[in-house]
Amino acid sequence: QQQVKQSPQSLIVQKGGISIINCAYENTAFDYFPWYQQFPGKGPALLIAIRPDVSEKKEGRFTISFNKSAKQFSLHIMDSQPGDSATYFCAASWNNNDMRFGAGTRLTVKP
Amino acid sequence: DAGVIQSPRHEVTEMGQEVTLRCKPISGHNSLFWYRQTMMRGLELLIYFNNNVPIDDSGMPEDRFSAKMPNASFSTLKIQPSEPRDSAVYFCASSFSLSSQDNQPQHFGDGTRLSIL
């Protein structure tokens, strides 16, 4: 059963804009929330991850915002670039072998 | 650094044939995962090994699927007999974790695109 709901399914953003992808989870036992980036023909690659003891984590242009009480977390891509065009997956896990993935968001950044 | 290596990258075969997918995890990693990706179901965990031992195979769809990890540097996923509904991209991922409760990043290979005719 899907325990991580991701939206939107697809997103089109102009170059330089902010891309925002949202995820919501059900299992309160989840304690690790990674985001993966996948290009066509490639495997998912870890982009950034957060644990629930912090509300925000930033790495370069990528930021995760985490709301434990609402059971939601989001990925913000600042100054979006055409090279960011890819499919993004959120995920959540409570132990090493039970990672649940969202359905993915296809991001297109227009030049 | 060499990442997770999967072979073959593409496989096309006829229904009923045996299919074997191969994976070499990142050296030093002690956890290995097999996933299946489809448009309909997204990324699904099939089986998880820790220190070469299968820990959780509850995601394996049916008895036609089997996986082995004879040593720390090699794993196989076998489908026998294959069916058209097995067509998907199969990913292998690896990580290093101190325990089953130790969440660590999983590193994915580039997958095997399997087509069963």
Side-chain angles (χ1 to χ4, degrees), chain A residues 31 41 51 93 95-97, chain B residues 9 45 48 97 100 103 106:
Chain A
D31 63 0
R51 298 184 190 271
S93 72
N95 65 31
N96 197 33
N97 65 319
Chain B
R9 289 298 316 276
L45 177 66
Y48 155 57
S97 60
S100 63
N103 280 303
Q106 295 183 18

Side-chain angles (χ1 to χ4, degrees), chain B residues 22-42:
Chain B
R22 298 173 175 78
C23 175
K24 177 179 170 56
I26 292 173
S27 177
H29 282 189
N30 62 352
S31 296
L32 184 139
F33 309 82
W34 281 101
Y35 288 89
R36 179 171 65 178
Q37 186 177 43
T38 61
M39 290 294 292
M40 291 297 295
R41 300 175 67 87

Side-chain angles (χ1 to χ4, degrees), chain A residues 4-19:
Chain A
V4 181
K5 295 184 179 180
Q6 184 172 346
S7 63
Q9 192 173 16
S10 63
L11 180 63
I12 300 175
V13 174
Q14 290 295 129
K15 178 182 176 182
I18 302 174
S19 303

Side-chain angles (χ1 to χ4, degrees), chain B residues 11-17 19 82-87 114-117:
Chain B
E11 176 86 14
V12 180
T13 192
E14 292 187 347
M15 181 175 65
Q17 297 298 306
V19 173
S82 58
E83 296 183 4
R85 60 193 169 116
D86 301 331
S87 298
L114 177 64
S115 297
I116 308 297
L117 306 178

Side-chain angles (χ1 to χ4, degrees), chain A residues 30-32 34 36 38 41-46 49 51 87 89 93-103 106, chain B residues 9 31 33 35 37 43 45 48 50 55-56 91 95 97 99-111:
Chain A
F30 288 144
D31 63 0
Y32 179 66
Y36 283 83
Q38 185 178 25
K42 296 291 187 180
L46 179 68
R51 298 184 190 271
T87 299
F89 294 92
S93 72
W94 67 278
N95 65 31
N96 197 33
N97 65 319
D98 196 9
M99 186 169 290
R100 303 300 175 101
F101 286 84
R106 178 173 290 185
Chain B
R9 289 298 316 276
S31 296
F33 309 82
Y35 288 89
Q37 186 177 43
L43 268 165
L45 177 66
Y48 155 57
N50 183 255
I55 303 299
D56 182 0
F91 288 103
S95 70
S97 60
S99 71
S100 63
Q101 277 71 48
D102 179 26
N103 280 303
Q104 293 298 328
Q106 295 183 18
H107 300 265
F108 284 75
D110 285 337

